[in-house]
Each structure stands twice: as structure tokens, then as C-alpha cells.
Amino acid sequence: TEYAAPGVCFTVYSKGEEPPVGAVRLPNLGRESHTFLHHIVHNYDTLAPWTVFSQAVRPTWGFRGGVSSSGHLSDNVEFWDYMQPFPGRKDSYFVFSAASHFPSGMQTSRAGILFKTLRSRSKSSCPKEGAEEWGPWWFEPSHPHVRGRNPSMLEFYHRYIALDEKNNADQPFTLAFPQGARFAASRARIQARPRSYYETLLQQLSRSIDPIEGYW
């Protein structure tokens, strides 16, 4: 592939009925979150020093809601940037291109992923100009982040992610995240949590094709 390089190994997972040659076939459950967690759980002791997690869509600039061909690269970021281990001595690489407030469901998007004329030269996790490079907050009643679900995002986050349900079950928060679920993380960063942590999350995503937990 165009991203092949010395020392780079690819693992391709497929949930289709006819997976590509060499792909690891998985049951069609839990969206890409299920796939990423499967990789972590089943390779926990042998994880690469640096792993890039990415959907199958070709990485290109931009995001268009509801369009499967959206490449989800923001601003001046290229896929190669994810493949450079420990950028700035950091143990992960996330480019935050959206944010949601819970439980209100209000959302905002990074301008550099929506409008080419507003792309900055930044490759950083957050826009260098701060709030000026984020769009206005908006609300869509039919969005999965808003519709009444069981569990709610608040419940799921505090119970399974932060593990602080007893003390903060109703505590609202704002989460920034990468549109398209593309990120990179070091082995040490992943293994900062025990395998059982990821196993529990994987169980929550193994119940249906499109569980709400897949968005959380």
C-alpha cells in the first residue's frame, strides 16, 4: 500500500461476508469500537510499541455527515502524522475534531475539518487559536448523542470509562473526540489499564451490530 514502510505491520479486520485475502474476520458487531477493542484484548501482551487505529475509509481531508467516503483528516494533518511514533515525546496522537456536551447533547466541530478555507497549518491535537477555530455549538434532536438511550452517555462514561460512578454518576461533562475514530497510542499508554478494563468494554459492544455504546 502507499503507507507501507520498513518496520510497519498492518492488521486488517473485516466484518463482511467475503473478507479480503489476509484479513482477520470478525462478527459484525459493535462498529469500529468493537474491532479496536478486540485488537487490544487479543494482542494485549504483544502490542506493537505504537499502534494506529483507523477505519477502512481512505484517509483524506474533511468530514461530511452521513457520507461514508468522508476521510476525516482535519486541517493540515496527514495519515503519515499518525504513523510517526511518540510525536513530541507524547504517548498518543489524537486530533480532536468534534466535541459534545452531556447530557445536553450540544455539539461543535473543528472548523478545519469542515471548511477548506479555514484549514490551519496545525497538526496539533487542538487548534492553536483555541475557540476561534471551532464552529458554533449546535443541537440536533435526532442525533444519537441526544436521543434517550439506555445506557445514557453519562451512565456509560462514569461506569465503564472513568470508573467513578459512585461519586460522579450525574456529573455533566464535555468530551472532545476525533471524527472517524482515528488515533494512535503507545503500548505503554494502552497497558496503563489492565486487560480486564478492555474486556469489559468489549463485552458491552458485542451485543448487536450497531449498539449505542459504539458511539460512546
Side-chain angles (χ1 to χ4, degrees):
T1 72
E2 63 182 292
Y3 297 107
V8 176
C9 297
F10 293 87
T11 301
V12 178
Y13 293 97
S14 175
K15 297 182 178 182
E17 295 183 359
E18 298 181 3
V21 175
V24 178
R25 187 171 183 179
L26 295 179
N28 190 13
L29 297 169
R31 301 172 60 85
E32 72 275 3
S33 306
H34 173 276
T35 307
F36 297 168
L37 287 164
H38 171 93
H39 183 85
I40 292 172
V41 167
H42 290 270
N43 298 279
Y44 186 82
D45 294 322
T46 57
L47 287 166
W50 185 260
T51 300
V52 179
F53 297 87
S54 184
Q55 295 178 353
V57 66
R58 182 181 177 86
T60 56
W61 174 84
F63 170 74
R64 291 174 291 167
V67 179
S68 60
S69 61
S70 293
H72 299 113
L73 291 177
S74 184
D75 292 283
N76 200 37
V77 177
E78 300 176 349
F79 190 70
W80 282 111
D81 295 314
Y82 292 89
M83 297 178 64
Q84 306 306 312
F86 308 100
R89 298 186 178 181
K90 295 180 180 179
D91 61 4
S92 63
Y93 184 58
F94 287 76
V95 178
F96 299 117
S97 52
S100 293
H101 177 270
F102 298 95
S104 73
M106 296 291 292
Q107 301 185 64
T108 182
S109 297
R110 187 168 177 162
I113 198 174
L114 297 178
F115 306 101
K116 285 190 175 182
T117 56
L118 297 179
R119 293 169 65 181
S120 75
R121 299 180 61 84
S122 172
K123 293 178 180 283
S124 60
S125 294
C126 296
K128 288 187 176 181
E129 301 301 322
E132 293 183 5
E133 292 188 29
W134 288 88
W137 288 90
W138 55 273
F139 179 81
E140 172 52 60
S142 63
H143 195 280
H145 291 181
V146 178
R147 289 179 293 182
R149 297 297 185 105
N150 183 24
S152 70
M153 178 54 181
L154 279 177
E155 293 169 333
F156 185 83
Y157 179 83
H158 290 299
R159 185 178 305 163
Y160 297 110
I161 305 298
L163 306 179
D164 61 356
E165 182 181 24
K166 291 184 178 179
N167 299 320
N168 297 292
D170 299 321
Q171 184 68 33
F173 56 85
T174 298
L175 282 180
F177 57 93
Q179 282 281 7
R182 180 182 293 121
F183 62 95
S186 70
R187 176 171 55 211
R189 177 66 176 266
I190 295 171
Q191 291 180 341
R193 299 276 195 177
R195 189 202 302 259
S196 59
Y197 175 83
Y198 302 104
E199 289 175 334
T200 299
L201 288 171
L202 183 58
Q203 290 173 1
Q204 303 306 308
L205 290 158
S206 300
R207 298 171 181 173
S208 66
I209 293 176
D210 191 24
I212 186 59
E213 292 88 345
Y215 296 87
W216 299 156

